[in-house]
Amino acid sequence: MKDYAPHIIKEGNLEFHLGRLEGSRVNYDFEKIWQYLLVKGKMLFGERFHLYEVDREVIYKLCLYMIKDAASCKKVGLDVNKGILLTGPVGCGKTSLMRLVKHIVPHVRSYEVIPTRNIVFAFNHIGYDTIQQFGNSKFFCLDDLGVEPTGRYFGKDCNVIGEVLLSRYELFLNHQVRTHATTNLNAKELEVHYGNRVRSRMRQLFNLVAFDKKSRDKRR
């Protein structure tokens, strides 16, 4: 197609070339993607936004995944058919990066970043329809996995996000619908919060991409 140019992104009067189009395939340039993410990040989050060299490996992996470079993803241990579970300490930039990196592929169906606590609050108001709503075929990134409160509807407690994850797992198996998530918790803490059954499903749902445990709080 003559006008097919997924590697060229326009932001107002600016035009960013993230690589070269070779036939129907884009040969992406990570340094050009990095520069675009810096600009787009400032547009989304304000002039204080910054990308840190210490996070380059994490950002590189996320970009490889977003552009669906299957061969390079395989080299760094990522399966393009699974979702991303981005882990790291509080304030290291997980949510901002998941909101940001999807913009490098505007031609690809995107996902909505939803705080898990908001899903639980919705459950508390309208009940089990909430689980069905977030267990549908839309693409979601479940933000702050594992720190949400227990849901309660008509006096009955429910591990809402655990149930949503089980629904998302069925969608993944039957319809290849991917789910992403961010969390401050480690594998053991997630298992305590959701139970072994959900934790087992999460291994099949997600690729693990992790910030260094010593990553500083960038919000300070």
Side-chain angles (χ1 to χ4, degrees):
M1 188 181 297
K2 186 177 180 180
D3 297 328
Y4 180 69
H7 61 301
I8 300 175
I9 299 178
K10 294 181 180 180
E11 298 287 354
N13 295 324
L14 301 175
E15 189 170 276
F16 298 87
H17 291 242
L18 305 188
R20 302 188 312 277
L21 189 62
E22 299 176 353
S24 60
R25 183 178 182 276
V26 177
N27 185 7
Y28 283 94
D29 183 325
F30 180 62
E31 294 305 320
K32 292 179 179 179
I33 292 175
W34 181 278
Q35 292 305 314
Y36 169 69
L37 291 177
L38 270 172
V39 173
K40 186 64 175 180
K42 291 181 185 297
M43 291 178 177
L44 292 174
F45 310 118
E47 284 300 316
R48 294 183 62 187
F49 176 82
H50 188 67
L51 295 177
Y52 295 84
E53 283 295 324
V54 70
D55 299 329
R56 180 173 281 264
E57 182 180 350
V58 168
I59 297 169
Y60 178 63
K61 287 181 178 180
L62 292 176
C63 290
L64 287 180
Y65 177 86
M66 290 297 159
I67 64 176
K68 292 292 181 280
D69 184 338
S72 296
C73 278
K74 187 175 181 179
K75 291 179 182 178
V76 297
L78 300 179
D79 182 343
V80 295
N81 297 308
K82 294 183 179 182
I84 292 289
L85 176 61
L86 185 58
T87 73
V90 173
C92 68
K94 300 181 297 297
T95 303
S96 295
L97 278 179
M98 290 305 291
R99 291 185 185 276
L100 177 61
V101 292
K102 63 182 182 176
H103 290 282
I104 67 177
V105 284
H107 57 292
V108 173
R109 182 181 176 186
S110 189
Y111 53 85
E112 185 177 357
V113 179
I114 302 288
T116 54
R117 66 181 181 277
N118 289 8
I119 299 175
V120 175
F121 293 157
F123 174 86
N124 293 344
H125 285 288
I126 64 176
Y128 289 87
D129 284 348
T130 304
I131 295 171
Q132 183 176 355
Q133 176 185 349
F134 288 96
N136 63 25
S137 59
K138 292 182 180 179
F139 287 7
F140 291 110
C141 175
L142 305 175
D143 190 35
D144 263 349
L145 204 66
V147 297
E148 74 281 351
T150 299
R152 191 171 181 81
Y153 186 68
F154 276 94
K156 186 176 181 180
D157 288 347
C158 177
N159 191 326
V160 177
I161 302 303
E163 294 297 326
V164 168
L165 286 168
L166 290 174
S167 295
R168 302 296 300 179
Y169 174 74
E170 293 300 322
L171 277 172
F172 173 68
L173 285 186
N174 298 322
H175 304 288
Q176 293 75 55
V177 175
R178 290 181 295 277
T179 304
H180 308 304
T182 72
T183 185
N184 305 326
L185 305 185
N186 60 36
K188 185 62 179 176
E189 290 169 328
L190 287 169
E191 186 169 327
V192 169
H193 191 82
Y194 294 117
N196 182 63
R197 180 172 174 235
V198 174
R199 175 62 186 141
S200 175
R201 303 297 191 273
M202 288 175 67
R203 292 188 185 96
Q204 295 173 267
L205 269 176
F206 298 120
N207 294 288
L208 178 63
V209 178
F211 280 88
D212 190 285
K213 294 178 181 178
K214 297 179 181 178
S215 293
R216 68 182 182 85
D217 189 339
K218 301 176 179 71
R219 296 179 295 194
R220 293 180 179 176

